Amino acid sequence: MNEAATAEAATSTARRIAVIGAGPGGLYFAALAKQLAPDRELTVFERDARDDEFGFGVVFSDETLDGIARADPRVFAAISAEFARWSDIDIRYAGEVRTSGGHGFAALDRNRLRAILQQRCAELAVDVRYRTPAPPVDRLAAEYDLVVAADGIRSGTRATHPESFRPELDERHCRYMWLATDKVFEAFTFIVEQYDFGVLQVHAYPYSATRSTFIVEAAADAWRRAGFEALAAREPARGESDLASVRRCAELLAGHLDGHRLIPNASRWIRFTTVRNASWRHRNVVLLGDAAHSAHFSIGSGTKLALEDALALAAALSEQPTLEEALAAYEAERRPVVESTQRAAQASLEWFETIGRRAGQGADQFAFNLLTRSRRVTYGSLRARDPAFVDAVDTAFGGSPGTPPMFRPLRLGALELRNRVVVPPLATFTSPDALPSGFDRAQLTGHALGGAGLVLAGMTAVSPEGRATDRCPGLWTDHQEAAWRQLRDAVRAVSDTPLGIQLTHAGRRGASTAPGPDGIGRPLADGWPLIAPSAIPWDADSPVPHEANDIQSAAVTADFAAAAERAARAGFDVLELQFGHGHLLSSFLSPLTNHRTDHYGGPLAHRLRLPLEVLTAVRAVWPAGRPLLVRISASDWAPGGTTEEEAVAICRALAAAGADALDVSTGEVVAHQRPPYGRGYQTPFAELVRTATGLPTVAVGAISGYDDADSVLLAGRADLVAVGRAHLYDPLWTLHAAAERGHTGPGARWPEPWRAGSRKPPGPNADRVAPRLHLLREPPAPVHRRWSPPPPEE
């Protein structure tokens, strides 16, 4: 499509457009839309004056800048001429400073950005009406072909049609305040200070030759104890600042301001709200920027997202033949990008909300933990940007630079693991006779040869009625014990990798078929009676279990102890008890599944009774020195379920009763759960438990890349990582992770018959040597770049 045809299509799609809000997103959209179709009528409504100033600095990514450069070179030239640029991140913590380089930042005064966009709109003859509140959105929708609502995080447009947008507003508990300072920081600076009232943290970065953004944040309890609640008792009028709190912040953080002042601008304590909408469209009304979505300031700029929205919406209007198709294309393009950013921002937000958990870490590990908090920055990406920084953290971790964290040894009880990778229990559902099958033997042998530090077999039932399906193995007879011993001996004949077994009683999750393609099992037509703490079925299609009585509970304890003795005689090196995922003992722990009022129900101490009886009985028969692990579900992902405080209390009780390590999973306790699936989404719970109990923890769930594994371990979030699905995809996942990086240490020991394959095979063009095509090569960009404002003109 040529330029004339593009302009004609764009104008026919939406000739008259109203924009609500003259922030950067609204102005940039108006400029782009007018640029693409000059005869289009664009009217921007803004309640504030043209010269009113709000906000401080905004940070841009290279991706966003590339988009601006291609879409409107004049705007790009104007804003890039005023950028503050740097590549370092400073972390000030515990009286020390750690610096990581190679990141690349560009920042600009938000008000200068707005002025540049105002000028661009004026050049393009966009009608921007200041001091003019927008008419009601329905009236605008009747008068214009399209209404673009760029009216911010408290969008009135969104509130007018909640039935269409279906907003979800997640207001968090931390308090924060936007400020500026005339101290010009040289880098993006995180300040973390511990006071008697708790932790105060600062996110600071330069945005001009004379100023820096300075965001002060505190958890709700610390904020109250610091006296800020009393100072903020009077609600400032619109545009006013909470000056008493500003003075208090200046006093507390004087050591980082070096005599410089804090500068308010309508600054007050607020709580961050994550905005999500099921739809961004209502007929010919569309949301843009914070009205549609928000992401925590610790991971990105709302202005950045709004500018990207503006570009995508303007493009869609030109590329699609109808308005309906254009708005659908805009949302389809932007939603995955925004949701990815929101996942990273949510992880970062929650990290800062719980920053007190990491107060005991050394400066190097804390800095690494902070930098990898969102799971977007990893061990590998940091090493690529600043190898010296990662080497320093490696050394502080107790390893030698060049040895990835996952390949360092760990002692559990009397057992020495050669590395930190665990193959978790991976059910094969190939045992119709409740005996370990030939496939079980092949799978466990393959995984033991694949390089992991520990391989666990499962799900192994402690009794016939404890099976999850009719194709699960068990360990309640002499015949089963002998079969497991033969399997263990077969594995040991070819590998010295420690082998463990997980014992379970499925409870109300039993008597089902093996999972189908959807991952869900169906109730067996001729299943066996189920027991549970309460007579609550797993879902509407499942049978109602019997409420376990004292005799049955005692039998469960005896069955676990007997199976543990059999596992020890069979020669297993490690034992894991399944107290999670909605199995019997998990359902005793959760308030959603345990509605009893006797000594096995009610308060947490009573709900813990049977799991502790089982653990105590098993600990008494399991050999000293052989590690005993317990897997828990630290969150039910459902309202009214296990809280973080209860999860910590459960784990402390398990530690006191003899658990050597805790395998920290979440979910699968109730069918109506809503987990926030994503890479490493369960890892924060492993870190919570590790910090609270001091026991080693295993992190599980969506850890499939070795870079993620290294990041989890080096940050101190867990001591071991369980990698499941990736080992199904590649049983030699651990050894291949070593080969990918050329690592050959003792933590990555290849079986002798396979040693010839321990180097990654060459790929296409591996033998090609590129010729020299530059007379003089450009020097590599420096790892460390600080912001040094240009000297003022005379």
Side-chain angles (χ1 to χ4, degrees), residues 621-636:
V621 300
W622 183 248
R626 294 195 208 179
L628 175 56
L629 281 61
V630 181
R631 172 172 278 216
I632 66 154
S633 287
S635 172
D636 300 338

Side-chain angles (χ1 to χ4, degrees), residues 455-505:
V455 176
L456 296 174
M459 309 176 305
T460 308
V462 298
S463 63
E465 62 277 6
R467 289 172 295 161
T469 76
D470 58 352
R471 300 179 69 81
C472 287
L475 190 48
W476 64 82
T477 69
D478 292 344
H479 190 31
Q480 291 165 341
E481 179 184 327
W484 280 114
R485 184 183 306 110
Q486 291 170 3
L487 183 152
R488 187 265 182 194
D489 290 346
V491 173
R492 180 61 70 243
V494 296
S495 171
D496 63 354
T497 298
L499 192 63
I501 189 168
Q502 183 193 73
L503 301 179
T504 188
H505 188 301

Side-chain angles (χ1 to χ4, degrees), residues 82 136 143 172 344-345 360 421 483 506 660:
E82 299 189 32
E143 296 175 359
R172 308 303 294 192
V421 180
D660 293 309

Side-chain angles (χ1 to χ4, degrees), residues 181-475:
T181 175
D182 53 6
K183 173 181 170 61
V184 181
F185 286 90
E186 296 180 346
F188 206 119
T189 303
F190 291 100
I191 299 168
V192 180
E193 284 287 0
Q194 180 79 47
Y195 300 91
D196 56 357
F197 58 78
V199 174
L200 202 62
Q201 61 233 30
V202 174
H203 313 246
Y205 55 88
Y207 65 84
S208 74
T210 58
R211 288 191 178 182
S212 301
T213 295
F214 198 86
I215 308 170
V216 184
E217 185 180 25
D221 289 346
W223 177 79
R224 281 190 290 269
R225 287 193 295 266
F228 288 118
E229 184 175 36
L231 295 176
R234 186 186 72 84
E235 180 70 17
R238 186 172 186 270
E240 288 185 350
S241 296
D242 177 359
L243 296 179
S245 290
V246 175
R247 287 191 292 271
R248 173 75 167 141
C249 288
E251 293 168 1
L252 290 167
L253 297 162
H256 299 280
L257 291 169
D258 301 327
H260 291 270
R261 61 195 175 103
L262 291 181
I263 303 167
N265 183 344
S267 302
R268 64 191 71 187
W269 293 109
I270 52 179
R271 293 190 290 174
F272 187 81
T273 299
T274 299
V275 175
R276 300 179 179 89
N277 287 278
S279 172
W280 298 353
R281 295 168 283 149
H282 170 74
R283 298 174 184 167
N284 65 333
V285 179
V286 65
L287 304 178
L288 184 146
D290 282 351
H293 48 71
S294 64
H296 193 251
F297 55 82
S298 64
I299 201 64
S301 163
T303 299
K304 166 192 174 300
L305 290 175
L307 295 182
E308 292 173 354
D309 282 357
L311 190 154
L313 179 57
L317 291 173
S318 295
E319 294 168 350
Q320 302 300 324
T322 68
L323 179 61
E324 181 179 355
E325 290 172 293
L327 298 187
Y330 156 67
E331 184 169 347
E333 177 182 333
R334 286 296 295 157
R335 183 176 285 278
V337 177
V338 167
E339 290 178 348
S340 174
T341 300
Q342 286 184 319
R343 284 192 294 272
Q346 187 72 11
S348 179
L349 175 157
E350 293 175 1
W351 193 94
F352 280 108
E353 284 183 338
T354 58
I355 198 168
R357 293 178 189 169
R358 303 157 193 97
Q361 288 190 324
D364 294 287
Q365 190 174 52
F366 180 88
F368 180 87
N369 201 333
L370 185 150
L371 292 172
T372 58
R373 67 194 181 279
S374 71
R375 301 190 282 272
R376 279 191 166 181
V377 177
T378 63
Y379 178 87
S381 63
L382 279 178
R383 178 169 285 287
R385 297 175 192 186
D386 189 348
F389 171 80
V390 176
D391 282 347
V393 185
D394 275 335
T395 302
F397 184 69
S400 57
T403 299
M406 62 185 277
F407 291 113
R408 293 170 190 167
L410 178 72
R411 177 170 290 277
L412 277 181
L415 184 64
E416 181 83 13
L417 304 181
R418 73 169 67 96
N419 62 49
R420 307 295 183 100
V421 180
V422 177
V423 179
L426 299 169
T428 64
F429 305 108
T430 57
S431 303
D433 52 4
L435 293 171
S437 66
F439 196 93
D440 286 319
R441 177 178 296 194
Q443 175 172 283
L444 292 169
T445 302
H447 288 149
L449 290 168
L454 172 64
V455 176
L456 296 174
M459 309 176 305
T460 308
V462 298
S463 63
E465 62 277 6
R467 289 172 295 161
T469 76
D470 58 352
R471 300 179 69 81
C472 287
L475 190 48

Side-chain angles (χ1 to χ4, degrees), residues 47-105:
R47 66 178 178 177
D48 294 312
R50 176 188 178 96
D51 297 328
D52 286 350
E53 294 193 351
F54 297 101
F56 303 106
V58 293
V59 180
F60 293 92
S61 69
D62 290 340
E63 285 181 332
T64 305
L65 293 176
D66 288 344
I68 294 173
R70 286 191 292 267
D72 194 327
R74 294 182 67 172
V75 168
F76 176 76
I79 64 176
S80 61
E82 299 189 32
F83 277 147
R85 292 184 178 273
W86 71 96
S87 67
D88 279 357
I89 299 176
D90 288 347
I91 297 99
R92 301 185 181 188
Y93 164 78
E96 300 184 59
V97 180
R98 294 294 183 269
T99 299
S100 172
H103 298 278
F105 294 98

